[in-house]
Amino acid sequence: MMEEEEMKIRFKTEISGDGKAPAGNPTTRTYSLTDRESTILSEFGWNLPPEIDDRNHTAARGLEPFALEEASDSTRRLLLRQDRPPSGSPVAPSPENQSISSNSSEEPPAGQPESEGRSAAETSNKAKKKKQKQCRQPRIAFMTKSEVENLEDGYRWRKYGQKGVKNSPFPRSYYRCTNSKCMVKKRVERCSKDPSIVITTYEGQHCHHSLPSSRGFARTHEAASSAQPFYFSNLQFQLHRPLSQPGHWPPLPPHFSVPPAPTDEGLLDDIVQPRMQNR
DNA sequence: CGGCTTTGACCAGCGC
DNA sequence: GCGCTGGTCAAAGCCG
């Protein structure tokens, strides 16, 4: 039961680089949601059609195993690790709470000197960080087959770190949402056993809308709203297709990779068209 | 010049 | 207690 509690929402997505979908199973999909996870998903802005929730609760347990075994040990641990909140504290704070904590812990008080040894303020900052660490945000990990590491998801990210990963030749990159009030982070790494798989882990929830002004996304988003089934990310497509309600597509969720706009011809050919051919 | 990436250092948690 | 590892910081550099 604890183990079940520890499972994160997991999606395996495939963006076929060569345009060839696996025979017989063009769009693999894995998900298994507990009630809590469904809640987390909805908090992330995912509006899953009701029939998906129903299926999850009744039949999703026995779905094909997630390709987690393809990930390195450390990655697997990361994806499966439960960030246990202190007893009694909420699992996923509301955006309001989030921005509050963001204001208090991320942004230093105005006028405070920055680097002057280890001051008391710094110590208290550490304490806050520690506390913050103890009640981590919910995580969602995506495994996406893609040659591109940095998948467009409509938000702007600032890279703040990169680390080598044990048992993996590929480094892990750490990104933070550029919105100063938003505490969402993401980790991006390649699967050590299958370099074509990019593992993206989101942590937290955005307290703002995606940036329509962000280069590329405006066009993409525009395209998405005019031809949703076509320009929806593969993730969205895969997630819904097996249970499809033809003609019904939920709103664009915030966490998923958005294929490039039509003007990015090469990538579009690679990523989107194979799915079109499959339909 | 502002925003971003890079990268070495630092820190905390965890397992042994 | 110690070493390993993940996560973060922050200075320096790059780029438009």
Side-chain angles (χ1 to χ4, degrees):
Chain A
M1 81 184 159
M2 200 54 203
E3 272 184 28
E4 189 174 286
E5 276 264 311
E6 290 186 5
M7 300 301 278
K8 289 293 164 187
I9 300 158
R10 303 164 304 179
F11 299 104
K12 178 183 178 183
T13 66
E14 290 197 13
I15 297 176
S16 180
D18 58 3
K20 290 171 192 162
N25 188 15
T27 55
T28 58
R29 167 219 55 178
T30 302
Y31 56 84
S32 59
L33 307 179
T34 64
D35 288 341
R36 202 186 88 198
E37 289 163 346
S38 299
T39 305
I40 292 173
L41 251 196
S42 64
E43 282 170 357
F44 266 82
W46 290 70
N47 295 315
L48 299 181
E51 76 274 20
I52 286 184
D53 283 330
D54 291 343
R55 289 263 306 236
N56 287 338
H57 291 174
T58 58
R61 299 280 180 254
L63 288 177
E64 58 181 309
F66 182 59
L68 217 51
E69 60 273 14
E70 292 167 20
S72 66
D73 288 348
S74 55
T75 304
R76 193 164 32 218
R77 254 182 282 125
L78 263 178
L79 295 184
L80 294 178
R81 189 173 71 194
Q82 167 70 12
D83 305 303
R84 290 184 187 82
S87 57
S89 71
V91 170
S94 67
E96 291 77 17
N97 291 341
Q98 216 179 2
S99 56
I100 288 171
S101 73
S102 152
N103 288 338
S104 61
S105 66
E106 283 269 316
E107 293 165 13
Q112 185 181 318
E114 280 204 12
S115 59
E116 271 300 308
R118 307 293 179 198
S119 62
E122 210 167 333
T123 313
S124 77
N125 265 349
K126 274 181 189 172
K128 283 175 189 171
K129 271 178 216 159
K130 192 177 176 182
K131 196 176 176 183
Q132 192 183 325
K133 217 170 186 178
Q134 281 172 349
C135 52
R136 292 224 185 199
Q137 308 293 320
R139 287 178 179 171
I140 290 185
F142 301 107
M143 293 181 78
T144 306
K145 204 158 197 173
S146 169
E147 290 169 14
V148 202
E149 210 158 285
N150 217 339
L151 299 165
E152 176 67 69
D153 57 8
Y155 291 90
R156 295 185 67 193
W157 301 94
R158 173 175 306 160
K159 190 174 185 175
Y160 66 89
Q162 178 172 312
K163 286 282 286 186
V165 182
K166 191 190 170 193
N167 295 330
S168 172
F170 307 102
R172 174 184 298 145
S173 300
Y174 299 90
Y175 297 87
R176 215 193 310 265
C177 184
T178 54
N179 188 315
S180 59
K181 290 181 180 175
C182 182
M183 295 185 69
V184 179
K185 294 169 192 168
K186 79 170 178 181
R187 275 190 302 266
V188 179
E189 65 190 286
R190 286 205 172 272
C191 175
S192 61
K193 291 180 184 170
D194 184 353
S196 64
I197 292 178
V198 176
I199 301 170
T200 308
T201 308
Y202 291 90
E203 183 175 326
Q205 53 185 125
H206 292 280
C207 57
H208 58 98
H209 295 296
S210 56
L211 298 170
S213 59
S214 104
R215 193 185 57 82
F217 182 69
R219 293 176 302 152
T220 310
H221 196 266
E222 198 173 288
S225 41
S226 62
Q228 277 188 338
F230 182 83
Y231 291 111
F232 257 100
S233 76
N234 291 313
L235 170 62
Q236 181 76 1
F237 183 74
Q238 287 181 220
L239 187 62
H240 289 270
R241 199 183 74 129
L243 313 163
S244 66
Q245 249 186 351
H248 173 254
W249 290 89
L252 202 66
H255 292 100
F256 71 133
S257 59
V258 180
T263 46
D264 300 327
E265 286 176 10
L267 282 169
L268 190 68
D269 285 345
D270 281 350
I271 297 174
V272 177
Q273 285 189 357
R275 296 288 175 253
M276 287 296 290
Q277 288 161 2
N278 287 337
R279 298 193 72 202

